[in-house]
Every structure is written in structure tokens, then in C-alpha cells.
Amino acid sequence: MRTPIIAGNWKMNKTIAEARELVNAMRDDLARLAAGGKLDIVLCPPFIAVPEVAGLVRGTPIRVGAQNLFWETKGAFTGEIAAPMLNEVCEHVIIGHSERRQYFGETDEGVNKKIKTALAHHLKPIVCVGENLAQNEAGQTAAFVGGQVRAAFQGIARDDARGSVLAYEPIWAIGTGKAASGAGANAVIGLTIRGALAELYDEATAQAVRVQYGGSVTPKNVAEFFAQPEIDGALVGGASLVAADFIAICKAAVK
Ligand code: PEP
């Protein structure tokens, strides 16, 4: 049995004061939902709000993550954040989000280096993969997403892979209001993503790794995703910025 995991990716939203307000509005409900170990909940605010959010949820089962890191651990890399800085304040880190690949030139090779660095510093990666609309329409989803998974986990030990989380996020579904179908996402996760993990490691590892769906998840459509056997939770963007919506999505996971 894989424990579902829901992560809220706040992207470049919320000042520290706004982050405090949002966490205060949902902390008690989220803490209740995460109690008992049936659901993992992770909040991923912008870097500057990570320590504040970590302080606000300390003593609750709610976990905190960052949205990126750099693969070097210190030095002359202006504007970057290193794993030893993050692991003082959070447990998780999103790696390879499509917005980072699209706007900041992240490559599969860079994603692989970042995962290795995160793991070496006891940060649990949430690794994002997903095809764009043209690839989807051309029937290239399996080849592209499978390739992303194989590249991301190249040279990563089996036990480290087991502790990682993947997020299947079709780019055409992110922030568009046009979510994938539950069955469609289930098929990509079950066949392509777990298939690539089985090729890299073995079937038991492929079955042990948690894989989220992400892309326009809302309280209205979330039940369709959580009803799928291969989907182990959600990576939520827009709806994670609204306390009532994020609570409703987390509630749906424990039903
Ligand atoms: C995301 O940021 O990973 C995401 C899935 O965004 P949204 O839920 O807004 O589509």
C-alpha cells in the first residue's frame, strides 16, 4: 500500500505575510487530515517563506518543501539555493517542474544532478515529468515521459528511488483548467512511468514509488484522480493557494 501524498506548489505566489495568513487558515484542518499516517501533506512555498511556513507547522504532521534547488552545495552561484540550506528548514523539494524546464532552461541532465544532490542531503525529491500538447497529440507521450523518467533516475540507487516521489504533470493541463482524464493519467502513470521504473530497477520498486497527478486539480475533479489505482495523490498549483480548496482536495484523499 502506497500512502497518498498531496503537495501544494505555491509557485511565485504569497509574500511572507500572505503565507502566514494562508497557513493559519488551513493548518488545523490539514494537521487533522495528515494525522494517523494515512495521507502525507506537503506545502511548497517560495524559498523566502519556507522557514516561516516550517515554523508555523512545526509539531504537526504537515511537511514543507521547496520548489527548486541547485546541484552544487555552495559557492559562486548567484541567486541559487543549495541543499544544505534547504534541509535545515524543509524535507521535500520539487525538481524539474515544467515551468523550470520551459522558462529557465532546465534539462534532463540538470534534473538528474539535482535529484542526486537532494538525495545526498536527505531531501525527498518530487520529480516532475510530462509531455506538451504537441507531443500528446502526436502520440509521443509514452516515449517522451518514459525518456524523462529514465534520464531523471540515471545512476540513482534503488532505495533512493523508492524514497522519491514522481509527479505526472502533462504541460497542457497545468494552469489551464483542462485537466487530464483520470483514466488517461492512470494509464501514463501505470504503464509509462512505472514501466520505466521497472526497467531501471525492478517491478517491486516500480510498485513502491509514489506517483502523483498534477494539472488543474480542483475540489470538483479530484475524486476522479484519487479513484485511480496508479495515482498516489496530487501536485496542486492554483488550488493550493485557496485554503478551502486545498483542504477539500486533501479531504478527498482520505475518503
Ligand atoms: C503545478 O504547478 O504543478 C500545477 C499542477 O498547477 P495547477 O494545479 O495550477 O494546474
Side-chain angles (χ1 to χ4, degrees), residues 4-241:
I5 176 166
I6 299 182
N9 173 17
W10 296 6
K11 313 195 187 193
M12 197 177 72
N13 293 293
K14 303 294 178 189
T15 63
I16 295 174
E18 290 165 347
R20 198 178 300 132
E21 206 178 308
L22 178 58
V23 173
N24 284 335
M26 54 189 189
R27 178 181 46 206
D28 293 350
D29 286 290
L30 296 184
R32 259 193 300 277
L33 291 164
K38 292 210 177 92
L39 170 66
D40 291 340
I41 299 175
V42 187
L43 304 179
C44 302
F47 286 134
I48 198 164
V50 168
E52 178 72 16
V53 171
L56 290 169
V57 303
R58 191 161 295 133
T60 77
I62 304 166
R63 301 291 168 235
V64 180
Q67 299 172 19
N68 184 27
L69 86 173
F70 190 50
W71 58 74
E72 295 291 347
T73 51
K74 66 176 178 176
F77 302 102
T78 303
E80 293 296 325
I81 295 279
M85 300 169 187
L86 290 178
N87 70 12
E88 283 189 343
V89 281
C90 66
E91 262 180 58
H92 294 264
V93 59
I94 297 171
I95 296 178
H97 191 282
S98 62
E99 287 152 14
R100 299 236 31 108
R101 296 180 192 254
Q102 187 178 345
Y103 303 129
F104 303 98
E106 289 206 0
T107 61
D108 282 341
E109 193 193 353
V111 167
N112 176 252
K113 286 200 225 175
K114 289 183 176 194
I115 298 171
K116 286 177 174 160
T117 301
L119 289 164
H121 291 84
H122 312 292
L123 286 161
K124 297 175 187 148
I126 299 174
V127 181
C128 302
V129 295
E131 81 287 0
N132 65 26
L133 187 60
Q135 291 162 332
N136 181 278
E137 288 176 348
Q140 295 165 352
T141 299
F144 185 74
V145 173
Q148 283 184 316
V149 175
R150 281 189 289 274
F153 285 89
Q154 204 60 55
I156 290 172
R158 178 183 288 127
D159 284 351
D160 282 339
R162 279 183 180 238
S164 305
V165 174
L166 276 128
Y168 169 54
E169 298 209 303
I171 296 171
W172 46 270
I174 297 179
T176 59
K178 189 172 167 268
S181 70
N186 190 67
V188 175
I189 292 173
L191 301 173
T192 302
I193 295 180
R194 294 198 198 285
L197 291 170
E199 242 176 70
L200 279 170
Y201 303 103
D202 50 49
E203 191 54 34
T205 304
Q207 291 305 321
V209 173
R210 294 184 290 178
V211 188
Q212 302 170 311
Y213 166 75
S216 297
V217 171
T218 66
K220 280 205 177 113
N221 65 19
V222 68
E224 181 183 344
F225 296 106
F226 293 166
Q228 305 295 328
E230 303 290 356
I231 300 181
D232 306 314
L235 182 54
V236 185
S240 72
L241 299 171

